[in-house]
Amino acid sequence: MAEPYISGELVYLRALEKSDLEACLRWMNDPEVTQYILMGRKPMNATREGEWIAEQYRNDADVVFAICKKVGDEHIGNCGLNEINWVDRFATTGIAIGEKSCWGKGYGTDAMRLVLRYAFEILNLRRVELAVFDFNERAIRSYKKLGFVEEGRLVERRYKNGRYIDEILMAISREAWGRAKR
Ligand SMILES: CC(C)(COP(=O)(O)OP(=O)(O)OC[C@H]1O[C@@H](n2cnc3c(N)ncnc32)[C@H](O)[C@@H]1OP(=O)(O)O)[C@@H](O)C(=O)NCCC(=O)NCCS
């Protein structure tokens, strides 16, 4: 099992391992989880999930972490940065707590706080962006608490749960993150 890479109040982030594949596969085939993300439009199998994990560690534009509870070390979800742009110094972030019993208990906000610390303090980025579906109130609440602000809305861009929904674009700058930390 990989060692903690960066540690928060409730969770720590570590590298995602091949041995994590089974849990990831379960989450990525759970419609209650995938309704909130761009997965779930076809079944995920072990080959494709394994390739995804390997790819994250092969290139410099993506970083994925396993989110683990500090108490008990349980792996409850994944988060990370994608499409890191080293010239303009921004990246897109994504997160999914796959263990549904762990929703709404502060783990996601704590994990995203670590991703931001990683992005700004370790990678020296200046902006972190994300897209969230309009009905995902829990996620939006969590992101706003961390200092993300809405910068745009792509109207009826996605089809989820049988209807078209808006995609909200949010971002946090390095300065806003510094202010939110204080
Ligand atoms: C989104 C996600 C990362 C948030 O993490 P979390 O650990 O569940 O959330 P937290 O407990 O840290 O914070 C959620 C906040 O929203 C509030 N909340 C919880 N459930 C809510 C709901 N159904 N509606 C509105 N707000 C809600 C909480 O009270 C909390 O705010 P507070 O601290 O001011 O009370 C997690 O729920 C998740 O991974 N969900 C499934 C996949 C997903 O949505 N990924 C994000 C895609 S953009």
Side-chain angles (χ1 to χ4, degrees):
M1 185 68 72
E3 290 296 310
Y5 179 79
I6 184 168
S7 195
E9 248 175 68
L10 303 172
V11 300
Y12 63 83
L13 308 184
R14 62 159 172 80
L16 197 63
E17 297 289 349
K18 264 192 186 160
S19 52
D20 297 316
L21 195 141
E22 204 179 305
C24 298
L25 207 48
R26 183 161 46 80
W27 302 332
M28 289 307 116
N29 284 310
D30 180 343
E32 282 185 71
V33 176
T34 58
Q35 66 174 316
Y36 296 113
I37 56 180
L38 279 177
M39 307 301 292
R41 285 164 171 181
K42 59 181 181 183
M44 179 64 89
N45 73 2
T47 304
R48 193 167 153 231
E49 185 68 20
E51 282 167 2
W52 177 79
I53 294 175
E55 182 53 34
Q56 301 295 302
Y57 287 88
R58 262 199 287 266
N59 70 64
D60 270 349
D62 302 297
V63 183
V64 66
F65 293 110
I67 305 169
C68 300
K69 284 204 231 178
K70 286 179 88 169
V71 176
D73 289 315
E74 186 193 356
H75 175 206
I76 58 169
N78 301 325
C79 60
L81 296 172
N82 297 106
E83 296 164 5
I84 301 171
N85 181 320
W86 298 104
V87 177
D88 302 311
R89 292 172 44 215
F90 66 81
T92 304
T93 186
I95 182 167
I97 305 280
E99 294 300 335
K100 292 174 279 188
S101 61
C102 294
W103 287 352
K105 294 182 177 166
Y107 298 121
T109 304
D110 199 38
M112 185 53 78
R113 193 177 289 115
L114 294 174
V115 171
L116 293 178
R117 195 189 335 152
Y118 173 71
F120 293 126
E121 291 185 2
I122 297 177
L123 298 190
N124 194 28
L125 299 181
R126 46 177 284 278
R127 227 179 109 81
V128 174
E129 306 173 343
L130 60 81
V132 57
F133 302 152
D134 59 2
F135 65 89
N136 196 349
E137 289 173 19
R138 186 173 38 229
I140 293 168
R141 168 96 196 117
S142 166
Y143 301 148
K144 283 186 175 165
K145 276 201 304 182
L146 290 164
F148 280 90
V149 292
E150 183 173 332
E151 292 193 340
R153 180 180 280 258
L154 304 175
V155 177
E156 297 191 352
R157 181 163 196 242
R158 301 289 183 187
Y159 188 72
K160 277 276 173 181
N161 296 337
R163 64 193 179 94
Y164 288 100
I165 50 124
D166 295 353
E167 197 165 42
I168 299 173
L169 307 179
M170 302 183 85
I172 182 169
S173 67
R174 187 189 186 88
E175 292 72 28
W177 170 75
R179 284 195 296 275
K181 259 202 331 178
R182 283 197 289 271

